[in-house]
Short mmCIF file of all heavy atoms in Angstrom, two decimals:
data_model
loop_
_atom_site.label_atom_id
_atom_site.label_comp_id
_atom_site.label_asym_id
_atom_site.label_seq_id
_atom_site.Cartn_x
_atom_site.Cartn_y
_atom_site.Cartn_z
N LEU Q 1 10.89 2.39 218.53
CA LEU Q 1 11.93 3.37 218.22
C LEU Q 1 11.65 4.06 216.90
O LEU Q 1 11.20 3.42 215.93
CB LEU Q 1 13.31 2.70 218.16
CG LEU Q 1 13.85 2.10 219.46
CD1 LEU Q 1 15.19 1.41 219.18
CD2 LEU Q 1 14.01 3.17 220.52
N SER Q 2 11.97 5.33 216.84
CA SER Q 2 11.87 6.09 215.59
C SER Q 2 12.74 5.46 214.51
O SER Q 2 13.83 4.95 214.79
CB SER Q 2 12.31 7.53 215.83
OG SER Q 2 12.55 8.20 214.61
N HIS Q 3 12.27 5.54 213.28
CA HIS Q 3 13.06 5.02 212.16
C HIS Q 3 14.41 5.72 212.07
O HIS Q 3 15.38 5.14 211.59
CB HIS Q 3 12.30 5.21 210.85
CG HIS Q 3 12.34 6.59 210.31
ND1 HIS Q 3 11.61 7.63 210.86
CD2 HIS Q 3 13.05 7.14 209.28
CE1 HIS Q 3 11.85 8.74 210.19
NE2 HIS Q 3 12.71 8.48 209.23
N ILE Q 4 14.49 6.95 212.56
CA ILE Q 4 15.72 7.73 212.46
C ILE Q 4 16.86 7.02 213.18
O ILE Q 4 17.99 6.97 212.69
CB ILE Q 4 15.51 9.15 213.03
CG1 ILE Q 4 14.52 9.92 212.16
CG2 ILE Q 4 16.84 9.91 213.11
CD1 ILE Q 4 14.08 11.24 212.76
N ILE Q 5 16.57 6.48 214.35
CA ILE Q 5 17.63 5.82 215.11
C ILE Q 5 17.63 4.30 214.92
O ILE Q 5 18.63 3.65 215.16
CB ILE Q 5 17.58 6.17 216.61
CG1 ILE Q 5 16.21 5.89 217.21
CG2 ILE Q 5 17.97 7.61 216.83
CD1 ILE Q 5 16.14 6.20 218.70
N ALA Q 6 16.50 3.73 214.48
CA ALA Q 6 16.42 2.27 214.36
C ALA Q 6 16.92 1.74 213.03
O ALA Q 6 17.50 0.64 212.96
CB ALA Q 6 14.98 1.80 214.60
N MET Q 7 16.71 2.48 211.94
CA MET Q 7 16.99 1.94 210.60
C MET Q 7 18.44 1.50 210.39
O MET Q 7 18.68 0.43 209.82
CB MET Q 7 16.59 2.96 209.54
CG MET Q 7 15.09 2.98 209.24
SD MET Q 7 14.45 1.40 208.64
CE MET Q 7 15.34 1.21 207.09
N PRO Q 8 19.45 2.26 210.83
CA PRO Q 8 20.83 1.77 210.63
C PRO Q 8 21.08 0.43 211.31
O PRO Q 8 21.79 -0.43 210.77
CB PRO Q 8 21.69 2.89 211.23
CG PRO Q 8 20.83 4.12 211.14
CD PRO Q 8 19.45 3.63 211.38
N ASP Q 9 20.48 0.24 212.50
CA ASP Q 9 20.68 -1.02 213.22
C ASP Q 9 19.87 -2.15 212.62
O ASP Q 9 20.29 -3.31 212.63
CB ASP Q 9 20.33 -0.83 214.69
CG ASP Q 9 21.26 0.13 215.38
OD1 ASP Q 9 22.48 -0.08 215.32
OD2 ASP Q 9 20.78 1.12 215.97
N ILE Q 10 18.70 -1.83 212.06
CA ILE Q 10 17.92 -2.85 211.36
C ILE Q 10 18.68 -3.32 210.13
O ILE Q 10 18.79 -4.52 209.85
CB ILE Q 10 16.53 -2.29 210.98
CG1 ILE Q 10 15.69 -2.06 212.24
CG2 ILE Q 10 15.81 -3.24 210.02
CD1 ILE Q 10 14.35 -1.37 211.98
N ALA Q 11 19.23 -2.37 209.38
CA ALA Q 11 19.98 -2.72 208.17
C ALA Q 11 21.21 -3.57 208.49
O ALA Q 11 21.58 -4.46 207.71
CB ALA Q 11 20.40 -1.45 207.43
N ALA Q 12 21.83 -3.31 209.65
CA ALA Q 12 23.05 -4.03 210.03
C ALA Q 12 22.75 -5.32 210.80
O ALA Q 12 23.68 -6.06 211.13
CB ALA Q 12 23.95 -3.13 210.87
N GLY Q 13 21.48 -5.58 211.10
CA GLY Q 13 21.11 -6.79 211.82
C GLY Q 13 21.27 -6.68 213.33
O GLY Q 13 21.10 -7.69 214.03
N ARG Q 14 21.57 -5.49 213.82
CA ARG Q 14 21.71 -5.32 215.28
C ARG Q 14 20.37 -5.23 215.99
O ARG Q 14 20.26 -5.51 217.18
CB ARG Q 14 22.55 -4.07 215.58
CG ARG Q 14 24.00 -4.17 215.13
CD ARG Q 14 24.79 -2.95 215.56
NE ARG Q 14 24.35 -1.74 214.88
CZ ARG Q 14 24.88 -1.26 213.76
NH1 ARG Q 14 25.88 -1.93 213.17
NH2 ARG Q 14 24.44 -0.15 213.20
N LEU Q 15 19.33 -4.83 215.24
CA LEU Q 15 17.96 -4.82 215.75
C LEU Q 15 17.07 -5.52 214.73
O LEU Q 15 17.32 -5.44 213.52
CB LEU Q 15 17.46 -3.39 215.98
CG LEU Q 15 18.08 -2.60 217.13
CD1 LEU Q 15 17.53 -1.17 217.14
CD2 LEU Q 15 17.85 -3.27 218.47
N ILE Q 16 16.03 -6.17 215.24
CA ILE Q 16 15.10 -6.88 214.37
C ILE Q 16 13.70 -6.32 214.58
O ILE Q 16 13.19 -6.31 215.71
CB ILE Q 16 15.11 -8.39 214.68
CG1 ILE Q 16 16.50 -8.97 214.41
CG2 ILE Q 16 14.05 -9.12 213.84
CD1 ILE Q 16 16.65 -10.42 214.78
N PRO Q 17 13.06 -5.83 213.51
CA PRO Q 17 11.67 -5.37 213.63
C PRO Q 17 10.73 -6.57 213.74
O PRO Q 17 10.91 -7.57 213.06
CB PRO Q 17 11.44 -4.58 212.34
CG PRO Q 17 12.40 -5.15 211.37
CD PRO Q 17 13.59 -5.65 212.15
N VAL Q 18 9.75 -6.46 214.61
CA VAL Q 18 8.82 -7.57 214.82
C VAL Q 18 7.39 -7.07 214.61
O VAL Q 18 7.14 -5.88 214.50
CB VAL Q 18 8.97 -8.16 216.24
CG1 VAL Q 18 10.37 -8.76 216.42
CG2 VAL Q 18 8.71 -7.12 217.31
N MET Q 19 6.47 -8.01 214.54
CA MET Q 19 5.04 -7.71 214.42
C MET Q 19 4.76 -6.88 213.17
O MET Q 19 4.19 -5.79 213.22
CB MET Q 19 4.55 -6.97 215.67
CG MET Q 19 3.40 -7.65 216.37
SD MET Q 19 3.04 -6.96 218.00
CE MET Q 19 2.75 -5.25 217.65
N LYS Q 20 5.16 -7.42 212.01
CA LYS Q 20 5.03 -6.70 210.74
C LYS Q 20 3.60 -6.28 210.44
O LYS Q 20 3.36 -5.21 209.87
CB LYS Q 20 5.55 -7.58 209.60
CG LYS Q 20 5.42 -6.96 208.23
CD LYS Q 20 5.90 -7.90 207.14
CE LYS Q 20 5.70 -7.29 205.75
NZ LYS Q 20 6.15 -8.19 204.68
N ASP Q 21 2.62 -7.09 210.83
CA ASP Q 21 1.23 -6.79 210.50
C ASP Q 21 0.61 -5.74 211.42
O ASP Q 21 -0.51 -5.29 211.18
CB ASP Q 21 0.38 -8.06 210.56
CG ASP Q 21 0.78 -9.05 209.48
OD1 ASP Q 21 1.28 -8.60 208.44
OD2 ASP Q 21 0.61 -10.27 209.69
N PHE Q 22 1.32 -5.36 212.49
CA PHE Q 22 0.80 -4.37 213.43
C PHE Q 22 1.91 -3.35 213.71
O PHE Q 22 2.74 -3.56 214.60
CB PHE Q 22 0.35 -5.03 214.74
CG PHE Q 22 -0.75 -6.05 214.57
CD1 PHE Q 22 -0.44 -7.38 214.32
CD2 PHE Q 22 -2.07 -5.67 214.65
CE1 PHE Q 22 -1.45 -8.33 214.17
CE2 PHE Q 22 -3.08 -6.61 214.49
CZ PHE Q 22 -2.77 -7.94 214.25
N GLN Q 23 1.93 -2.29 212.94
CA GLN Q 23 2.99 -1.29 213.06
C GLN Q 23 2.62 -0.21 214.08
O GLN Q 23 1.44 0.10 214.29
CB GLN Q 23 3.22 -0.62 211.70
CG GLN Q 23 3.78 -1.57 210.66
CD GLN Q 23 5.18 -2.03 211.01
OE1 GLN Q 23 6.10 -1.25 211.04
NE2 GLN Q 23 5.33 -3.31 211.30
N PRO Q 24 3.61 0.37 214.77
CA PRO Q 24 3.32 1.48 215.67
C PRO Q 24 2.57 2.59 214.93
O PRO Q 24 2.91 2.94 213.80
CB PRO Q 24 4.72 1.95 216.10
CG PRO Q 24 5.56 0.72 216.01
CD PRO Q 24 5.04 -0.01 214.80
N SER Q 25 1.54 3.11 215.56
CA SER Q 25 0.73 4.16 214.93
C SER Q 25 1.58 5.39 214.64
O SER Q 25 2.46 5.75 215.42
CB SER Q 25 -0.44 4.55 215.84
OG SER Q 25 -1.29 3.44 216.07
N ARG Q 26 1.30 6.02 213.52
CA ARG Q 26 2.02 7.23 213.13
C ARG Q 26 1.42 8.43 213.85
O ARG Q 26 0.21 8.53 214.04
CB ARG Q 26 1.98 7.42 211.62
CG ARG Q 26 2.50 6.22 210.85
CD ARG Q 26 2.61 6.52 209.38
NE ARG Q 26 3.80 7.32 209.10
CZ ARG Q 26 3.97 8.02 207.99
NH1 ARG Q 26 3.02 8.08 207.09
NH2 ARG Q 26 5.09 8.69 207.79
N LEU Q 27 2.28 9.35 214.25
CA LEU Q 27 1.86 10.57 214.95
C LEU Q 27 2.19 11.78 214.08
O LEU Q 27 3.21 11.80 213.40
CB LEU Q 27 2.59 10.70 216.29
CG LEU Q 27 2.36 9.60 217.31
CD1 LEU Q 27 3.28 9.80 218.50
CD2 LEU Q 27 0.92 9.59 217.76
N PRO Q 28 1.34 12.80 214.12
CA PRO Q 28 1.67 14.02 213.39
C PRO Q 28 2.88 14.71 214.01
O PRO Q 28 3.06 14.71 215.23
CB PRO Q 28 0.41 14.88 213.53
CG PRO Q 28 -0.26 14.36 214.76
CD PRO Q 28 0.05 12.90 214.83
N VAL Q 29 3.73 15.28 213.16
CA VAL Q 29 4.87 16.07 213.59
C VAL Q 29 4.52 17.53 213.30
O VAL Q 29 4.28 17.89 212.14
CB VAL Q 29 6.16 15.67 212.86
CG1 VAL Q 29 7.33 16.52 213.34
CG2 VAL Q 29 6.45 14.19 213.07
N THR Q 30 4.49 18.35 214.33
CA THR Q 30 4.04 19.74 214.20
C THR Q 30 5.09 20.68 214.74
O THR Q 30 5.66 20.44 215.81
CB THR Q 30 2.72 19.95 214.98
OG1 THR Q 30 1.74 19.00 214.54
CG2 THR Q 30 2.18 21.35 214.78
N VAL Q 31 5.37 21.75 214.00
CA VAL Q 31 6.23 22.80 214.52
C VAL Q 31 5.32 23.91 215.04
O VAL Q 31 4.35 24.29 214.39
CB VAL Q 31 7.22 23.33 213.46
CG1 VAL Q 31 6.51 23.92 212.26
CG2 VAL Q 31 8.16 24.37 214.06
#
């Protein structure tokens, strides 16, 4: 999930991020 929608739930404990050593690859954002 994008940090935009995941971060509030991570902060509140409703979602837990896993696999700290292997993060989802970052993609370029292009207009």
Side-chain angles (χ1 to χ4, degrees):
L1 295 177
S2 165
H3 78 286
I4 294 171
I5 54 179
M7 280 300 296
D9 295 306
I10 292 174
R14 293 185 293 267
L15 290 176
I16 298 176
V18 297
M19 236 168 57
K20 178 182 178 181
D21 294 332
F22 300 89
Q23 294 294 295
S25 299
R26 305 188 78 198
L27 299 173
V29 180
T30 305
V31 60

